Amino acid sequence: MKKIRFVRLAALCLCAALPLAGCGGEEASSASSVPAPPASSSVAAADPVLPDQTEGEAPFDEDGENGLLGPLSSPEQALSSCLNWGPGTAGSSLKSVQAAVALLNWAEENSLSRRDDLSVTQGFTGWYEGLEADEQENFSAVWPIIQAQADALISGEGEMEPLLEDAGIDPASLPDYTAADWEVLRDIITARVPLGGEA
């Protein structure tokens, strides 16, 4: 009798153990077939180490470096100060200083060294090619004088203050010019304008 009870009890235990063994086997099988996520996955989800698409070099913007400079203003007013007078005429030295300051101011206000040279070239060329032949000749004749005055203002060489004051310009009102801005404009004009007054 005890033996029968023992057999029944053993059978019941075996029946109860079989489903548990089956579940454990499935869990072990499924656990082995699916790779465990990396230990740092929760950290990566919260703080992913991915390149920021907003960082890096932005494409060039024609209206200024990343749109911060704004559009290039017209050089017409500054360049027009170079016309209607010539070397050796009355007041030419004062007019050359006024023209130099006008060009330096335009170059500085537009931050030319931070722009694409093509936009500056197009701005000057559009103005220059719109001149009459005698105006182009006039500009070519005065350009070396204006360039020399602007170079002197940039370098600080020579006694420019008395000349500025005689030209009606307060030296204290002038900004600290950026040489690179002026050099961009100077080089573009020099490359385009023939010397000797022949357009």
Side-chain angles (χ1 to χ4, degrees), residues 153 160-166 168-177:
L153 285 166
M160 295 301 295
E161 285 194 14
L163 198 54
L164 287 166
E165 290 171 352
D166 288 346
I169 300 168
D170 179 7
S173 69
L174 299 180
D176 291 330
Y177 293 117

Side-chain angles (χ1 to χ4, degrees), residues 35-105:
S40 61
S41 63
S42 60
V43 176
D47 187 16
V49 184
L50 296 173
D52 188 351
Q53 294 180 354
T54 61
E55 293 180 358
E57 186 176 349
F60 178 77
D61 184 346
E62 297 242 344
D63 288 339
E65 194 172 277
N66 303 328
L68 299 178
L69 294 178
L72 185 71
S73 67
S74 171
E76 182 173 357
Q77 184 174 355
L79 290 167
S80 294
S81 65
C82 306
L83 299 178
N84 302 318
W85 58 275
T89 60
S92 60
S93 61
L94 301 181
K95 289 177 181 176
S96 66
V97 172
Q98 291 169 343
V101 168
L103 293 180
L104 284 168
N105 286 343

Side-chain angles (χ1 to χ4, degrees), residues 1 14 18 22-23 25 31 55 67 70 76 78 103 107 125 127 178 182 184:
M1 189 74 175
L14 182 62
L18 283 176
C23 292
E55 293 180 358
E76 182 173 357
L103 293 180
T125 303
W127 174 84
T178 305
W182 162 243
V184 168

Side-chain angles (χ1 to χ4, degrees), residues 86-179:
T89 60
S92 60
S93 61
L94 301 181
K95 289 177 181 176
S96 66
V97 172
Q98 291 169 343
V101 168
L103 293 180
L104 284 168
N105 286 343
W106 184 78
E108 186 75 20
E109 289 163 6
N110 285 277
S111 302
L112 297 190
S113 62
R114 296 171 59 197
R115 294 181 184 271
D116 180 11
D117 284 1
L118 179 60
S119 63
V120 184
T121 301
Q122 289 174 339
F124 170 73
T125 303
W127 174 84
Y128 182 77
E129 292 183 349
L131 298 176
E132 299 291 337
D134 60 334
E135 290 176 320
Q136 290 184 351
E137 185 176 343
N138 180 190
F139 186 87
S140 298
V142 301
W143 169 242
I145 306 168
I146 297 167
Q147 178 184 333
Q149 299 283 31
D151 286 342
L153 285 166
I154 286 286
S155 66
E157 296 176 359
E159 293 294 326
M160 295 301 295
E161 285 194 14
L163 198 54
L164 287 166
E165 290 171 352
D166 288 346
I169 300 168
D170 179 7
S173 69
L174 299 180
D176 291 330
Y177 293 117
T178 305

